[in-house]
Amino acid sequence: MFELPARWTAVLAAVAAAVILIGLGLAADVGRPYPGFLSAPDFRVFPVDPDVRDAGLAFADRIVSVDGASPATLHERVRTASGPVRYDVERSGVRFSVVIPPRTLTAAHLVRHFGVYFVVSALMLVVGAFVLAQKPGAGPNRRFAVYMALWALSNVATPEAVLGLRKLTSPVVSLIGVVLSVHGAILFLTYPVNPARLAWLERRRAIPRLYAAAAAVGLATSAVVTVASFSGPETLARLYGQSIAFPVLMALASFPVKVWSLIDTRRRAGSPLVDQQTTVLLAGIGLGLGSWLLLMLLPLVQVYEPAGSPQLGSALVLLYPAAIAYATVRYRLFDATLVIRRSLVYTVLAALVAGAYALAIAAANVVLARAELARSPWFSAAFMFTVALVIQPLRSWVQNAVDRTFFRERQDHIRALQSLARSMRGLLDLEEIIRRLASTIESAMHVRDPRLYVGPPAPALSAVVATAPGAVSRYQVAADPSFGPLAADALHAYAALGADVIVPLRFQDELRGLLVLGPKRSEAPYTAEDLALLETVADQAAIAVANAEAHRQVVDYARELERSLMIRSSLAKFVPRRVHELIEASPDASLLERRETDVTVVFADISGYTRLSSRLTPDELGAIVERYFGAFLDEIVKHGGDVNETAGDGLMVIFHEGDHARAAAGAAREIHRRAAELNADLPAGVEPLRMHIGINSGPAALGATKIEGRAGTRWTYTASGMTTNVAARLAAVAQGGEIVVSEATLARLGGGIPAEDLGERALKNVDRPMRIYRL
């Protein structure tokens, strides 16, 4: 749909209005007398009519006086003359006089000498609007639209300022010319995309500085022309030549800059697409811009006499924006083979339809003996109805016949990939899918290193396939303005993978992986048909991958179920006794739900564990710890506690039934007693193990706790909350052989157990100091 943002519509409309106003200014002189020739602001003539040339005037002759008066009065003298006008003329330092009668300026004169300029400007505005409408947000498209607007204005303002009778646009032509040359150079410095050059331009802020310099120089030259127009003829002639020289030199200088930019971009990119784009653009510059410089601009400023009308150069310049527009809009690969194939198909199809029509008429005439049948509208309607029914299968048949005859290799690899797509539907082995896909693509399309990646791709590539839903070549990323700021990171990701093309694997709107292809062995580019075929293969591969992953999950689940049945009895050894009882009572684990319960939590750690681990081998240390903890477990179970967690040198025990505070204290004393017994049997040289224990009582969230992460979900049965945290801090305060309890626990024990008041202590991660006791 052709649609432009409002501000761009206003800009292009304003330029179009300016072009129309210039045309109306020229048209206002129709019907008025004019000398029979056109002249520049410095009074050098540009002969127009043949009789003027016969009278003795030649290209670039300079008018010195008109009827003996200043040449500045030329048009006034012509308008008021009642007969021929005498002109004093200078040519190569020699002066002479010519007499020429005035004549009337007609619309035919204007159309013949200015009409092409306005047609070309209108076409430029249309092309600029069309390209901009494709991608209004793309930088190259916006720059191109501005380029066309500037050029459209310059294309009519320049001949009016040089050749027009009133030269109304003279003050602005220099400004437009300088800005146009600089903007054109910037367009080719930034398109096609050249990341290294763009980075260099951005670091030095070169683009805004170039625009600022162009505006300053253009305004200065415009001011010179304005001042010169109010000066005497000699001053005007001298200043005009100086002021017009700079815009012309800028236009000539920008030509090699554009050519160099394209050649440098081609050298750096090294891609078929950029090669083709730069070839088109170089041809447009050489033919279009070169013709404009040689046939229009230089003759208009009277560097040399043109072989024909300067409007020829203006018409040929259309090759230039046409080349830019084509390269800008058609960023996908140029597929000449596809054009040839389709041309052949439709040529054969048209011949078959025409032949069938002729045969049908001949047969009807023979069978029915009615010569007027061919003129019957009913016969034509019936024939067209039949063609409509059979045209699609006929086109497919012709397409296959052309491919078999002229494009056998392409037909073969299409069939190979289609056969692959069908075969993958029944595959459930992911490795086999990947192997078969890579080998078939490699052999059919002669691709280097095709690979299939399952899973989420790199963020840069995810952004690419989110922008373009189908297959994307790296050349497309480099040239397509829609990728914009994504291009640099995406091209780096392509280079890291050695990829020329990536094809997303989507299943039910979910990206399941990427098909990555390196360059073709022939170095030929991927055509639009190649990309479409790869998208079809990728769609089938996505389904096959999804089926394979689902099958693997089912197999894994079956294996896990078998293993779970095998280790059920062994697993019970690692589950707290209370948890085991709850699960047996409620297999759906509803009794494990977290609920606030009054509990007593015990933390017990081995003093000197780190020092002991540095002196013993892991096996020796493990045997000792296992022996001690085994003895402790007997006492804990005897007192009704559940070992919730063990970690190297410590364990956490929960008591939550009956008089759990007294049970916890009794278990702690028994742990010290059993530790003392076991210490007596330690080998010589091994320091006795001493336990430091912290006990706290209070409310806690008791039950199952779910921990979720990338690796999956894990459940633990524990008591969580401040009660547990304080118990751990009390264990840290206790010394070897000590039991430290909180005030809440001591209150539950009653007065029968002696305890030493250790005062208030600040505990880590506890807001207020707590009073603690040593049993």
Side-chain angles (χ1 to χ4, degrees):
M1 184 177 184
F2 190 86
E3 185 176 352
L4 287 176
R7 62 189 181 94
W8 282 106
T9 302
V11 169
L12 294 174
V15 174
V19 170
I20 293 171
L21 287 175
I22 294 173
L24 292 175
L26 287 170
D29 291 322
V30 172
R32 295 181 180 180
Y34 93 112
F37 56 83
L38 303 178
S39 61
D42 60 350
F43 309 112
R44 288 184 296 168
V45 302
F46 202 130
V48 176
D49 296 338
D51 58 337
V52 172
R53 188 176 296 107
D54 295 340
L57 277 184
F59 177 84
D61 287 347
R62 183 167 174 267
I63 304 297
V64 177
S65 66
V66 181
D67 283 339
S70 169
T73 64
L74 186 152
H75 293 292
E76 180 66 25
R77 292 275 177 177
V78 169
R79 189 164 52 250
T80 59
S82 57
V85 178
R86 182 175 59 86
Y87 302 95
D88 292 326
V89 183
E90 182 179 46
R91 181 189 301 165
S92 302
V94 177
R95 294 195 177 188
F96 58 94
S97 297
V98 296
V99 177
I100 303 173
R103 70 275 326 274
T104 302
L105 183 69
T106 65
H109 281 103
L110 289 181
V111 172
R112 185 167 68 249
H113 300 297
F114 293 96
V116 173
Y117 297 124
F118 285 88
V119 172
V120 170
S121 292
L123 291 174
M124 286 180 170
L125 289 174
V126 170
V127 171
F130 172 75
V131 171
L132 182 62
Q134 308 307 307
K135 288 283 184 181
N141 296 48
R142 293 198 303 268
R143 291 192 185 98
F144 177 75
V146 172
Y147 197 32
M148 289 298 95
L150 289 171
W151 205 306
L153 190 56
S154 174
N155 196 59
V156 295
T158 300
E160 195 282 333
V162 174
L163 303 178
L165 298 185
R166 288 189 278 185
K167 300 176 175 37
L168 299 175
T169 59
S170 294
V172 298
V173 164
S174 297
L175 172 61
I176 297 173
V178 173
V179 174
L180 176 64
S181 297
V182 171
H183 182 76
I186 290 172
L187 175 65
F188 284 96
L189 285 171
T190 56
Y191 182 82
V193 177
N194 188 327
R197 188 190 302 142
L198 287 178
W200 186 90
L201 292 171
E202 290 177 0
R203 283 197 306 270
R204 289 161 177 77
R205 301 190 71 251
I207 292 178
R209 290 175 178 174
L210 285 172
Y211 281 127
V217 172
L219 289 171
T221 53
S222 295
V224 171
V225 172
T226 303
V227 170
S229 65
F230 294 100
S231 305
E234 296 296 331
T235 303
L236 176 60
R238 184 171 62 254
L239 291 180
Y240 173 77
Q242 294 174 355
S243 64
I244 203 67
F246 193 80
V248 173
L249 290 175
M250 287 288 294
L252 292 173
S254 70
F255 186 87
V257 169
K258 296 167 185 174
V259 172
W260 170 84
S261 299
L262 291 175
I263 294 174
D264 180 62
T265 298
R266 171 187 281 186
R267 178 182 60 83
R268 291 175 182 270
S271 75
L273 175 60
V274 175
D275 286 349
Q276 292 165 341
Q277 282 181 313
T278 52
T279 298
V280 172
L281 293 173
L282 285 169
I285 289 177
L287 296 175
L289 184 57
S291 298
W292 180 80
L293 290 170
L294 297 175
L295 302 179
M296 175 183 164
L297 182 62
L298 295 178
L300 276 183
V301 297
Q302 300 188 359
V303 174
Y304 50 77
E305 185 174 3
S309 171
Q311 293 185 101
L312 176 62
S314 177
L316 289 176
V317 80
L318 287 174
L319 296 172
Y320 182 41
I324 304 174
Y326 187 72
T328 304
V329 175
R330 179 144 172 107
Y331 55 81
R332 276 185 176 263
L333 302 180
F334 305 159
D335 191 356
T337 304
L338 183 61
V339 174
I340 295 171
R341 291 174 62 244
R342 289 182 177 174
S343 299
L344 281 172
V345 169
Y346 288 110
T347 299
V348 173
L349 198 60
L352 288 175
V353 171
Y357 186 70
L359 287 174
I361 292 176
N365 289 335
V366 169
V367 174
L368 302 176
R370 295 182 61 186
E372 69 277 4
L373 185 62
R375 295 188 295 270
S376 170
W378 295 104
F379 180 83
S380 298
F383 183 81
M384 294 307 298
F385 179 74
T386 305
V387 168
L389 292 177
V390 302
I391 190 67
Q392 185 58 37
L394 183 61
R395 192 197 68 82
S396 299
W397 179 83
V398 172
Q399 176 77 69
N400 292 332
V402 168
D403 284 343
R404 285 193 304 271
T405 306
F406 300 102
F407 304 96
R408 169 63 65 180
E409 183 178 4
R410 179 183 292 266
Q411 180 76 358
D412 290 343
H413 90 239
I414 289 175
R415 288 183 174 179
L417 293 179
Q418 290 174 342
S419 176
L420 168 68
R422 289 191 297 269
S423 69
M424 285 192 300
R425 297 173 186 170
L427 289 178
L428 295 176
D429 185 348
L430 185 59
E431 297 300 325
E432 176 62 17
I433 292 172
I434 294 174
R435 186 199 64 76
R436 189 177 298 188
L437 187 66
S439 62
T440 304
I441 291 177
E442 182 176 14
S443 61
M445 300 183 70
H446 310 296
V447 173
R448 291 191 179 99
D449 196 21
R451 288 149 287 160
L452 178 63
Y453 292 100
V454 177
L461 297 179
S462 295
V464 168
V465 297
T467 304
V472 186
S473 70
R474 68 181 177 92
Y475 315 124
Q476 182 181 344
V477 173
D480 185 356
S482 66
F483 291 100
L486 303 175
D489 291 340
L491 290 174
H492 181 73
Y494 272 79
L497 289 174
D500 266 26
V501 171
I502 62 170
V503 192
L505 271 66
R506 287 192 173 90
F507 180 72
Q508 296 180 346
D509 295 329
E510 180 183 353
L511 184 61
R512 308 299 291 259
L514 288 180
L515 177 59
V516 177
L517 294 90
K520 291 186 177 181
R521 299 186 186 280
S522 62
E523 301 299 332
Y526 286 87
T527 66
E529 190 176 56
D530 290 337
L531 300 183
L533 185 59
L534 288 170
E535 290 171 7
T536 301
V537 173
D539 290 341
Q540 295 298 326
I543 297 173
V545 168
N547 291 339
E549 289 182 335
H551 177 261
R552 184 174 60 184
Q553 290 174 357
V554 170
V555 172
D556 291 344
Y557 176 76
R559 289 173 179 170
E560 287 297 321
L561 181 61
E562 183 181 0
R563 291 183 67 241
S564 66
L565 294 175
M566 293 175 59
I567 65 175
R568 178 177 178 181
S569 58
S570 299
L571 187 61
K573 302 175 183 177
F574 301 92
V575 179
R577 175 185 53 82
R578 179 58 179 166
V579 175
H580 194 188
E581 293 173 354
L582 290 173
I583 291 177
E584 287 184 345
S586 176
D588 61 355
S590 60
L591 297 179
L592 293 176
E593 294 177 358
R594 290 165 59 87
R595 55 177 62 87
E596 189 171 283
T597 307
D598 191 63
V599 299
T600 296
V601 180
V602 175
F603 274 87
D605 294 319
I606 300 173
S607 296
Y609 180 83
T610 302
R611 185 172 61 255
L612 186 64
S613 62
S614 65
R615 297 177 56 187
L616 300 177
T617 66
D619 290 341
E620 293 173 337
L621 181 64
I624 292 175
V625 171
E626 183 178 346
R627 183 182 180 194
Y628 276 74
F629 278 18
F632 301 158
L633 180 60
D634 292 339
E635 300 301 329
I636 291 168
V637 172
K638 186 187 300 182
H639 286 80
D642 285 324
V643 178
N644 177 257
E645 182 180 324
T646 62
D649 62 340
L651 49 83
M652 170 186 170
V653 186
I654 303 172
F655 295 84
H656 60 90
E657 293 180 342
D659 191 356
H660 48 77
R662 190 171 296 275
R669 284 199 175 92
E670 290 301 319
I671 287 173
H672 280 315
R673 181 182 66 78
R674 293 300 302 270
E677 292 175 354
L678 294 172
N679 285 339
D681 297 332
L682 285 175
V686 177
E687 295 183 7
L689 299 186
R690 306 182 68 189
M691 304 298 293
H692 50 101
I693 300 174
I695 306 176
N696 184 37
S697 302
L702 182 64
T705 299
K706 182 171 68 172
I707 303 173
E708 291 186 345
R710 292 183 178 179
T713 302
R714 183 174 180 179
W715 293 83
T716 61
Y717 184 83
T718 187
S720 58
M722 186 55 66
T723 298
T724 302
N725 295 340
V726 170
R729 304 305 172 211
L730 295 178
V733 170
Q735 302 297 316
E738 294 182 347
I739 302 173
V740 176
V741 302
S742 65
E743 189 171 10
T745 299
L746 186 65
R748 285 172 169 78
L749 294 177
I753 298 180
E756 177 185 353
D757 189 349
L758 299 180
E760 289 189 345
R761 297 283 184 92
L763 303 179
K764 184 178 180 181
N765 295 333
V766 178
D767 293 339
R768 292 180 299 175
M770 296 185 65
R771 184 172 296 279
I772 61 177
Y773 300 87
R774 180 168 52 222
L775 296 185

